[in-house]
Amino acid sequence: TNMDMSSFFAKMTADNTRKKVQFFGPDCSQLYAEVQQDYDFANNYVTYWVKVPTISALDDTKVYMYYDPTFSANTNYIGDTGETAAQQVWNANYVGVWHMAEGGSTDIKDSTAYSHVVGAASLSDANTANNCITGRCIDFQGDVNLSVGRPTHLQNNAFTIEFNAYMDAWNSAGPVNLD
């Protein structure tokens, strides 16, 4: 949401403090959260993906966030992309979640327990880490091939591909080739 978090960031000054938070749902149960890989505490920026079990269509659903620098790292419930706690945010119906926030990495990590790494041989530092609607993202320039291979649990099954894209220009081939 758009709330002033400056006091939070004033205390959270190093990347080793990113897991010293706790999220609680309306029933006071602790919630799992994933720290997206693009955190930057020097510039007051972090993205947490929080698993909220239910969201009411009629009433406000409140999620509470607590931070205390004296806490031990909350690794049972807060994890970086690929870690066990972070994988709990995404249930088994999600067979791949890629935030595309890796910066200069040539591999894009999967947030789910399936751990599908997307190889992106043509990525470089020159086209990464732009501010986007879901945090930071990769700015694909020119032809970029992404491949997750052919996982057996995706073969011969119907599935949905969903993504956010901003197109600077549209070419005749369109944005995605699913060959």
Side-chain angles (χ1 to χ4, degrees), residues 66-146:
Y66 297 95
Y67 169 74
D68 187 332
T70 64
F71 285 168
S72 297
N74 187 14
T75 56
N76 289 333
Y77 286 90
I78 308 291
D80 292 330
T81 300
E83 293 179 349
T84 303
Q87 292 171 346
Q88 300 305 308
V89 173
W90 313 100
N91 68 32
N93 293 318
Y94 290 90
V95 295
V97 174
W98 299 274
H99 300 300
M100 306 274 182
E102 275 70 8
S105 175
T106 56
D107 289 330
I108 301 168
K109 291 183 180 180
D110 179 9
S111 296
T112 71
Y114 292 103
S115 301
H116 298 303
V117 174
V118 173
S122 56
L123 287 180
S124 69
D125 288 335
N127 57 9
T128 58
N130 294 304
N131 290 323
C132 299
I133 195 167
T134 57
R136 300 224 175 133
C137 60
I138 297 172
D139 181 2
F140 295 104
Q141 299 175 5
D143 292 334
V144 176
N145 295 313
L146 302 175

Coordinates of all heavy atoms in Angstrom, one line a residue, residues 66-146:
Y66 N 5.3 -6.0 12.1 CA 6.1 -5.6 13.2 C 7.6 -5.7 12.9 O 8.0 -6.7 12.2 CB 5.8 -6.5 14.4 CG 4.4 -6.4 14.9 CD1 3.4 -7.3 14.5 CD2 4.0 -5.3 15.7 CE1 2.1 -7.1 14.9 CE2 2.7 -5.2 16.2 CZ 1.7 -6.1 15.7 OH 0.4 -6.0 16.1
Y67 N 8.4 -4.8 13.4 CA 9.8 -4.9 13.2 C 10.5 -4.5 14.5 O 10.0 -3.6 15.2 CB 10.3 -3.9 12.1 CG 11.8 -3.7 12.1 CD1 12.6 -4.7 11.6 CD2 12.4 -2.6 12.6 CE1 14.0 -4.6 11.6 CE2 13.8 -2.4 12.6 CZ 14.5 -3.4 12.1 OH 15.9 -3.3 12.1
D68 N 11.5 -5.2 14.9 CA 12.3 -4.9 16.1 C 13.7 -5.4 15.8 O 14.0 -6.5 15.5 CB 11.7 -5.7 17.3 CG 12.4 -5.3 18.6 OD1 13.6 -4.9 18.6 OD2 11.7 -5.4 19.6
P69 N 14.6 -4.4 15.8 CA 16.0 -4.8 15.5 C 16.7 -5.7 16.5 O 17.7 -6.4 16.2 CB 16.8 -3.4 15.5 CG 15.9 -2.5 16.3 CD 14.5 -3.0 16.2
T70 N 16.0 -5.9 17.7 CA 16.6 -6.9 18.7 C 16.1 -8.3 18.4 O 16.5 -9.2 19.0 CB 16.2 -6.5 20.1 OG1 14.8 -6.5 20.2 CG2 16.7 -5.1 20.4
F71 N 15.1 -8.5 17.5 CA 14.6 -9.8 17.1 C 15.7 -10.6 16.5 O 16.6 -10.0 15.8 CB 13.5 -9.7 16.0 CG 12.1 -9.3 16.5 CD1 11.2 -9.0 15.6 CD2 11.8 -9.2 17.9 CE1 9.9 -8.6 16.0 CE2 10.6 -8.9 18.3 CZ 9.6 -8.5 17.3
S72 N 15.7 -11.9 16.6 CA 16.5 -12.8 15.8 C 15.8 -12.8 14.4 O 14.7 -12.5 14.3 CB 16.5 -14.2 16.3 OG 17.1 -14.2 17.6
A73 N 16.6 -13.2 13.4 CA 16.0 -13.3 12.1 C 14.9 -14.3 12.1 O 15.0 -15.4 12.7 CB 17.1 -13.7 11.1
N74 N 13.7 -13.9 11.5 CA 12.5 -14.7 11.6 C 12.5 -15.7 10.4 O 11.6 -15.7 9.5 CB 11.3 -13.8 11.5 CG 10.0 -14.5 11.7 OD1 10.0 -15.6 12.1 ND2 8.9 -13.8 11.4
T75 N 13.5 -16.5 10.3 CA 13.7 -17.4 9.2 C 12.6 -18.5 9.0 O 12.5 -19.1 8.0 CB 15.1 -18.1 9.2 OG1 15.3 -18.8 10.4 CG2 16.2 -17.0 9.0
N76 N 11.8 -18.7 10.1 CA 10.7 -19.7 9.9 C 9.6 -19.2 9.1 O 8.8 -19.9 8.5 CB 10.2 -20.1 11.3 CG 11.2 -21.0 12.1 OD1 12.0 -21.7 11.5 ND2 11.1 -20.9 13.4
Y77 N 9.4 -17.8 9.1 CA 8.3 -17.2 8.3 C 8.7 -16.2 7.3 O 7.9 -15.9 6.4 CB 7.4 -16.5 9.3 CG 6.5 -17.5 10.1 CD1 7.0 -18.0 11.3 CD2 5.3 -17.9 9.6 CE1 6.2 -18.9 12.0 CE2 4.6 -18.9 10.3 CZ 5.0 -19.3 11.5 OH 4.3 -20.2 12.2
I78 N 10.0 -15.7 7.3 CA 10.4 -14.8 6.3 C 11.6 -15.4 5.6 O 12.6 -15.8 6.2 CB 10.9 -13.4 7.0 CG1 9.8 -12.9 7.9 CG2 11.3 -12.4 5.9 CD1 8.6 -12.4 7.2
G79 N 11.6 -15.4 4.3 CA 12.7 -16.0 3.5 C 13.0 -15.2 2.2 O 12.1 -14.5 1.7
D80 N 14.2 -15.3 1.8 CA 14.6 -14.7 0.5 C 14.0 -15.7 -0.6 O 13.8 -16.9 -0.3 CB 16.1 -14.6 0.3 CG 16.7 -13.6 1.2 OD1 16.0 -12.6 1.5 OD2 17.8 -13.7 1.7
T81 N 13.9 -15.2 -1.8 CA 13.5 -16.0 -2.9 C 14.3 -17.3 -3.0 O 15.5 -17.3 -2.9 CB 13.6 -15.3 -4.3 OG1 12.9 -14.1 -4.2 CG2 13.2 -16.1 -5.5
G82 N 13.5 -18.5 -3.0 CA 14.2 -19.8 -3.1 C 14.3 -20.5 -1.7 O 14.5 -21.7 -1.7
E83 N 14.2 -19.7 -0.6 CA 14.3 -20.3 0.7 C 13.0 -20.9 1.1 O 11.9 -20.5 0.6 CB 14.8 -19.3 1.7 CG 16.2 -18.8 1.5 CD 16.7 -17.8 2.5 OE1 15.9 -17.2 3.2 OE2 17.9 -17.5 2.5
T84 N 13.0 -21.9 2.0 CA 11.9 -22.6 2.4 C 10.7 -21.8 2.9 O 9.6 -21.9 2.5 CB 12.2 -23.7 3.5 OG1 13.2 -24.5 3.0 CG2 11.0 -24.5 3.9
A85 N 11.0 -20.8 3.8 CA 9.9 -19.9 4.3 C 9.3 -19.1 3.1 O 8.0 -19.0 3.1 CB 10.5 -18.9 5.3
A86 N 10.1 -18.7 2.2 CA 9.5 -17.9 1.1 C 8.7 -18.8 0.2 O 7.7 -18.3 -0.4 CB 10.7 -17.3 0.3
Q87 N 9.0 -20.0 0.0 CA 8.3 -21.0 -0.8 C 6.9 -21.2 -0.3 O 6.0 -21.6 -1.0 CB 9.1 -22.3 -1.0 CG 10.3 -22.1 -1.8 CD 11.2 -23.3 -1.8 OE1 11.0 -24.2 -1.0 NE2 12.2 -23.3 -2.7
Q88 N 6.7 -21.0 1.1 CA 5.4 -21.3 1.7 C 4.4 -20.2 1.3 O 3.2 -20.4 1.5 CB 5.5 -21.3 3.2 CG 6.5 -22.3 3.8 CD 6.1 -23.7 3.3 OE1 4.9 -24.1 3.4 NE2 7.0 -24.4 2.7
V89 N 4.8 -19.1 0.7 CA 3.9 -18.1 0.3 C 3.1 -18.6 -0.9 O 1.9 -18.2 -1.1 CB 4.7 -16.8 -0.1 CG1 3.8 -15.7 -0.8 CG2 5.4 -16.2 1.1
W90 N 3.7 -19.4 -1.7 CA 3.0 -19.9 -3.0 C 2.6 -21.4 -2.8 O 3.5 -22.2 -2.6 CB 4.0 -19.8 -4.1 CG 4.7 -18.4 -4.1 CD1 5.9 -18.1 -3.6 CD2 4.1 -17.2 -4.5 NE1 6.1 -16.7 -3.7 CE2 5.0 -16.2 -4.3 CE3 2.8 -16.9 -5.1 CZ2 4.7 -14.8 -4.6 CZ3 2.6 -15.5 -5.4 CH2 3.5 -14.5 -5.2
N91 N 1.3 -21.7 -2.9 CA 0.9 -23.1 -2.7 C 1.2 -23.9 -4.0 O 1.8 -23.4 -4.9 CB -0.6 -23.1 -2.4 CG -1.5 -22.7 -3.5 OD1 -1.2 -22.9 -4.7 ND2 -2.7 -22.1 -3.1
A92 N 0.9 -25.2 -3.9 CA 1.3 -26.2 -4.9 C 0.6 -25.9 -6.3 O 1.1 -26.4 -7.3 CB 0.9 -27.6 -4.5
N93 N -0.4 -25.0 -6.3 CA -1.0 -24.7 -7.6 C -0.2 -23.7 -8.4 O -0.4 -23.5 -9.6 CB -2.4 -24.0 -7.3 CG -3.4 -25.1 -6.8 OD1 -3.4 -26.2 -7.3 ND2 -4.2 -24.7 -5.8
Y94 N 0.8 -23.1 -7.7 CA 1.7 -22.2 -8.4 C 3.0 -23.1 -8.8 O 3.7 -23.5 -7.9 CB 2.2 -21.0 -7.5 CG 1.1 -20.0 -7.3 CD1 0.3 -20.2 -6.2 CD2 1.0 -18.9 -8.1 CE1 -0.7 -19.2 -5.9 CE2 0.0 -18.0 -7.8 CZ -0.8 -18.1 -6.7 OH -1.8 -17.2 -6.5
V95 N 3.1 -23.3 -10.1 CA 4.3 -24.2 -10.5 C 5.5 -23.3 -10.9 O 6.5 -23.9 -11.2 CB 3.9 -25.2 -11.6 CG1 2.9 -26.2 -11.0 CG2 3.4 -24.5 -12.8
G96 N 5.3 -22.0 -10.9 CA 6.4 -21.1 -11.1 C 6.1 -19.7 -10.9 O 5.0 -19.3 -11.3
V97 N 6.8 -19.0 -10.1 CA 6.6 -17.6 -9.9 C 8.0 -16.9 -10.0 O 8.9 -17.2 -9.2 CB 6.1 -17.3 -8.5 CG1 6.0 -15.8 -8.2 CG2 4.7 -17.9 -8.3
W98 N 8.1 -16.1 -11.0 CA 9.4 -15.4 -11.2 C 9.1 -13.9 -11.1 O 8.4 -13.3 -11.9 CB 10.0 -15.7 -12.6 CG 10.2 -17.2 -12.7 CD1 11.4 -17.8 -12.4 CD2 9.4 -18.2 -13.3 NE1 11.3 -19.2 -12.6 CE2 10.0 -19.4 -13.2 CE3 8.1 -18.2 -13.8 CZ2 9.5 -20.6 -13.6 CZ3 7.6 -19.3 -14.3 CH2 8.2 -20.6 -14.2
H99 N 9.8 -13.2 -10.2 CA 9.6 -11.8 -10.0 C 10.4 -10.9 -11.0 O 10.2 -9.8 -11.1 CB 9.9 -11.3 -8.6 CG 9.0 -12.0 -7.6 ND1 7.7 -11.9 -7.5 CD2 9.4 -12.8 -6.5 CE1 7.2 -12.6 -6.5 NE2 8.2 -13.2 -5.9
M100 N 11.4 -11.6 -11.6 CA 12.3 -10.9 -12.5 C 13.0 -9.7 -11.9 O 13.0 -8.6 -12.5 CB 11.5 -10.4 -13.8 CG 10.7 -11.5 -14.5 SD 11.8 -12.4 -15.6 CE 10.6 -13.6 -16.3
A101 N 13.5 -9.8 -10.7 CA 14.1 -8.7 -10.0 C 15.6 -9.1 -9.6 O 16.1 -8.5 -8.7 CB 13.3 -8.4 -8.7
E102 N 16.2 -9.9 -10.4 CA 17.5 -10.4 -10.0 C 18.7 -9.5 -10.2 O 19.8 -9.7 -9.8 CB 17.8 -11.7 -10.8 CG 17.3 -12.9 -10.2 CD 15.8 -13.1 -10.2 OE1 15.1 -12.2 -10.9 OE2 15.2 -14.0 -9.6
G103 N 18.5 -8.3 -10.9 CA 19.6 -7.5 -11.1 C 20.4 -8.0 -12.3 O 19.9 -8.4 -13.3
G104 N 21.7 -8.2 -12.1 CA 22.6 -8.6 -13.1 C 22.8 -10.1 -13.3 O 23.6 -10.6 -14.1
S105 N 22.0 -10.9 -12.5 CA 22.1 -12.3 -12.6 C 21.7 -12.8 -14.0 O 20.9 -12.3 -14.7 CB 21.2 -12.9 -11.5 OG 21.2 -14.3 -11.7
T106 N 22.3 -13.9 -14.4 CA 21.9 -14.5 -15.7 C 20.9 -15.6 -15.4 O 20.4 -16.2 -16.4 CB 23.1 -15.1 -16.4 OG1 23.8 -16.1 -15.5 CG2 24.1 -14.0 -16.8
D107 N 20.5 -15.9 -14.2 CA 19.5 -16.9 -13.9 C 18.4 -16.2 -13.1 O 18.7 -15.4 -12.2 CB 20.0 -18.1 -13.1 CG 20.9 -19.0 -13.9 OD1 20.7 -19.1 -15.1 OD2 21.8 -19.6 -13.3
I108 N 17.2 -16.5 -13.4 CA 16.0 -15.9 -12.7 C 15.4 -17.0 -11.8 O 15.0 -18.1 -12.2 CB 15.0 -15.4 -13.7 CG1 15.7 -14.4 -14.6 CG2 13.8 -14.8 -13.0 CD1 14.9 -14.0 -15.8
K109 N 15.4 -16.8 -10.5 CA 15.0 -17.8 -9.5 C 13.5 -17.9 -9.4 O 12.8 -16.9 -9.5 CB 15.5 -17.4 -8.1 CG 17.0 -17.5 -7.9 CD 17.4 -17.2 -6.5 CE 18.9 -17.4 -6.3 NZ 19.3 -17.1 -4.9
D110 N 13.0 -19.1 -9.2 CA 11.6 -19.4 -9.0 C 11.3 -19.3 -7.5 O 12.1 -19.7 -6.7 CB 11.3 -20.8 -9.5 CG 9.9 -21.3 -9.3 OD1 9.0 -20.5 -8.9 OD2 9.7 -22.5 -9.5
S111 N 10.2 -18.6 -7.2 CA 9.8 -18.5 -5.8 C 9.1 -19.7 -5.2 O 9.0 -19.8 -4.0 CB 8.9 -17.2 -5.6 OG 9.6 -16.1 -6.0
T112 N 8.6 -20.6 -6.0 CA 7.9 -21.7 -5.5 C 8.8 -22.9 -5.0 O 10.0 -22.9 -5.3 CB 6.9 -22.3 -6.6 OG1 7.7 -23.0 -7.6 CG2 6.1 -21.2 -7.2
A113 N 8.2 -23.9 -4.4 CA 8.9 -25.1 -4.0 C 9.5 -25.9 -5.2 O 10.3 -26.7 -5.0 CB 8.1 -25.9 -3.1
Y114 N 9.0 -25.6 -6.4 CA 9.4 -26.4 -7.6 C 10.8 -25.9 -8.0 O 11.6 -26.6 -8.7 CB 8.5 -26.2 -8.7 CG 7.2 -26.9 -8.5 CD1 6.0 -26.2 -8.2 CD2 7.0 -28.3 -8.6 CE1 4.8 -26.8 -8.0 CE2 5.8 -28.9 -8.4 CZ 4.7 -28.2 -8.1 OH 3.5 -28.8 -7.9
S115 N 11.2 -24.7 -7.6 CA 12.6 -24.2 -7.8 C 13.0 -24.2 -9.3 O 14.1 -24.6 -9.6 CB 13.6 -24.9 -7.0 OG 13.3 -24.8 -5.6
H116 N 12.1 -23.9 -10.2 CA 12.5 -23.8 -11.6 C 13.3 -22.5 -11.9 O 12.8 -21.4 -11.8 CB 11.2 -23.7 -12.5 CG 10.3 -24.9 -12.4 ND1 10.8 -26.2 -12.6 CD2 9.1 -25.0 -12.0 CE1 9.8 -27.0 -12.5 NE2 8.7 -26.3 -12.1
V117 N 14.6 -22.7 -12.2 CA 15.4 -21.6 -12.5 C 15.3 -21.3 -14.0 O 15.3 -22.2 -14.8 CB 16.9 -21.9 -12.2 CG1 17.8 -20.7 -12.7 CG2 17.0 -22.0 -10.7
V118 N 15.0 -20.1 -14.4 CA 14.9 -19.7 -15.8 C 16.3 -19.2 -16.2 O 16.8 -18.3 -15.6 CB 13.9 -18.6 -16.0 CG1 13.9 -18.1 -17.4 CG2 12.5 -19.1 -15.6
G119 N 16.8 -19.9 -17.2 CA 18.1 -19.5 -17.8 C 17.8 -18.3 -18.7 O 16.9 -18.3 -19.5
A120 N 18.6 -17.3 -18.6 CA 18.4 -16.1 -19.4 C 19.8 -15.7 -19.9 O 20.4 -14.7 -19.4 CB 17.7 -15.0 -18.7
A121 N 20.3 -16.4 -20.9 CA 21.7 -16.2 -21.3 C 22.0 -14.8 -21.8 O 23.1 -14.4 -21.8 CB 22.1 -17.2 -22.3
S122 N 21.0 -14.1 -22.3 CA 21.3 -12.8 -22.9 C 21.0 -11.6 -22.0 O 21.0 -10.5 -22.5 CB 20.5 -12.7 -24.2 OG 19.2 -12.8 -24.0
L123 N 20.8 -11.8 -20.7 CA 20.6 -10.7 -19.8 C 21.9 -10.1 -19.4 O 22.9 -10.7 -19.4 CB 19.9 -11.2 -18.5 CG 18.5 -11.5 -18.6 CD1 18.0 -11.9 -17.2 CD2 17.6 -10.4 -19.1
S124 N 21.9 -8.8 -19.2 CA 23.1 -8.1 -18.7 C 22.7 -7.0 -17.7 O 21.6 -6.6 -17.6 CB 23.9 -7.5 -19.9 OG 23.1 -6.4 -20.4
D125 N 23.7 -6.5 -17.0 CA 23.5 -5.4 -16.1 C 22.8 -4.2 -16.7 O 22.2 -3.4 -16.1 CB 24.8 -5.0 -15.4 CG 25.3 -6.0 -14.4 OD1 24.4 -6.8 -13.9 OD2 26.5 -6.0 -14.2
A126 N 23.1 -4.0 -18.0 CA 22.6 -2.8 -18.7 C 21.1 -2.7 -18.8 O 20.5 -1.7 -19.1 CB 23.2 -2.7 -20.1
N127 N 20.4 -3.9 -18.6 CA 18.9 -3.8 -18.9 C 18.2 -4.4 -17.7 O 17.2 -5.1 -17.9 CB 18.6 -4.6 -20.2 CG 19.1 -6.0 -20.2 OD1 19.5 -6.5 -19.2 ND2 18.9 -6.6 -21.3
T128 N 18.6 -4.1 -16.5 CA 17.9 -4.7 -15.3 C 17.6 -3.6 -14.3 O 18.1 -2.5 -14.3 CB 18.8 -5.8 -14.6 OG1 20.0 -5.2 -14.2 CG2 19.0 -6.9 -15.5
A129 N 16.7 -3.9 -13.3 CA 16.4 -3.1 -12.2 C 15.7 -1.8 -12.4 O 16.1 -0.8 -11.9 CB 17.6 -3.0 -11.3
N130 N 14.7 -1.8 -13.3 CA 13.9 -0.6 -13.4 C 12.8 -0.7 -12.4 O 12.3 -1.7 -12.0 CB 13.3 -0.5 -14.8 CG 14.4 -0.3 -15.9 OD1 15.2 0.6 -15.8 ND2 14.5 -1.2 -16.8
N131 N 12.3 0.5 -12.0 CA 11.1 0.5 -11.1 C 9.9 0.1 -11.8 O 9.5 0.7 -12.9 CB 11.0 1.9 -10.4 CG 12.1 2.1 -9.4 OD1 12.5 1.2 -8.8 ND2 12.6 3.3 -9.4
C132 N 9.1 -0.8 -11.3 CA 7.9 -1.3 -12.0 C 6.8 -1.5 -11.0 O 7.0 -1.3 -9.8 CB 8.2 -2.7 -12.6 SG 9.5 -2.6 -13.9
I133 N 5.6 -1.9 -11.5 CA 4.5 -1.9 -10.6 C 4.6 -2.9 -9.5 O 4.0 -2.7 -8.4 CB 3.2 -2.2 -11.5 CG1 2.0 -1.9 -10.7 CG2 3.2 -3.6 -12.0 CD1 0.7 -1.8 -11.5
T134 N 5.3 -4.0 -9.7 CA 5.5 -5.0 -8.6 C 6.9 -5.0 -8.0 O 7.4 -6.0 -7.6 CB 5.2 -6.4 -9.2 OG1 6.1 -6.6 -10.2 CG2 3.8 -6.5 -9.6
G135 N 7.5 -3.8 -7.9 CA 8.9 -3.7 -7.4 C 9.8 -3.4 -8.5 O 9.5 -2.5 -9.4
R136 N 10.9 -4.1 -8.6 CA 11.9 -3.9 -9.7 C 11.7 -5.0 -10.7 O 11.1 -6.0 -10.4 CB 13.3 -3.9 -9.1 CG 13.5 -2.8 -8.1 CD 14.7 -2.0 -8.3 NE 14.7 -0.9 -7.3 CZ 15.7 -0.6 -6.6 NH1 16.8 -1.3 -6.6 NH2 15.7 0.4 -5.8
C137 N 12.2 -4.8 -11.9 CA 12.0 -5.7 -12.9 C 13.1 -5.7 -13.9 O 14.1 -5.0 -13.7 CB 10.7 -5.4 -13.7 SG 10.7 -3.8 -14.4
I138 N 13.0 -6.5 -14.9 CA 14.0 -6.6 -16.0 C 13.5 -5.8 -17.2 O 12.4 -6.0 -17.6 CB 14.4 -8.0 -16.3 CG1 15.0 -8.7 -15.1 CG2 15.4 -8.1 -17.5 CD1 15.2 -10.2 -15.2
D139 N 14.3 -5.0 -17.8 CA 14.0 -4.3 -19.0 C 14.6 -5.1 -20.2 O 15.8 -5.1 -20.4 CB 14.6 -2.9 -19.0 CG 14.3 -2.1 -20.2 OD1 13.6 -2.6 -21.1 OD2 14.8 -0.9 -20.3
F140 N 13.8 -5.9 -20.8 CA 14.2 -6.7 -21.9 C 14.4 -5.8 -23.2 O 13.5 -5.2 -23.6 CB 13.2 -7.8 -22.2 CG 13.1 -8.8 -21.1 CD1 12.0 -8.8 -20.3 CD2 14.1 -9.8 -20.9 CE1 11.9 -9.7 -19.3 CE2 14.0 -10.7 -19.9 CZ 12.9 -10.6 -19.1
Q141 N 15.6 -5.8 -23.7 CA 15.9 -5.0 -24.9 C 16.3 -5.9 -26.0 O 17.3 -6.7 -25.8 CB 17.0 -4.0 -24.5 CG 16.6 -3.0 -23.4 CD 17.7 -2.1 -23.0 OE1 18.8 -2.1 -23.6 NE2 17.5 -1.3 -22.0
G142 N 15.7 -5.8 -27.1 CA 16.0 -6.7 -28.2 C 15.5 -8.1 -28.0 O 14.5 -8.3 -27.3
D143 N 16.1 -9.1 -28.6 CA 15.7 -10.5 -28.5 C 16.3 -11.1 -27.2 O 17.5 -11.1 -27.1 CB 16.1 -11.3 -29.7 CG 15.3 -10.8 -30.9 OD1 14.2 -10.3 -30.8 OD2 15.9 -11.0 -32.0
V144 N 15.4 -11.6 -26.3 CA 15.9 -12.2 -25.1 C 15.1 -13.6 -25.0 O 13.9 -13.6 -25.1 CB 15.5 -11.4 -23.8 CG1 15.9 -12.1 -22.6 CG2 16.3 -10.1 -23.9
N145 N 15.8 -14.6 -24.9 CA 15.2 -16.0 -24.8 C 15.3 -16.4 -23.3 O 16.3 -16.5 -22.7 CB 16.0 -17.0 -25.6 CG 15.9 -16.6 -27.1 OD1 14.8 -16.4 -27.6 ND2 17.0 -16.6 -27.8
L146 N 14.1 -16.7 -22.8 CA 14.0 -17.3 -21.4 C 13.5 -18.7 -21.6 O 12.7 -19.1 -22.3 CB 12.9 -16.5 -20.6 CG 13.2 -15.0 -20.5 CD1 12.0 -14.4 -19.8 CD2 14.4 -14.7 -19.7

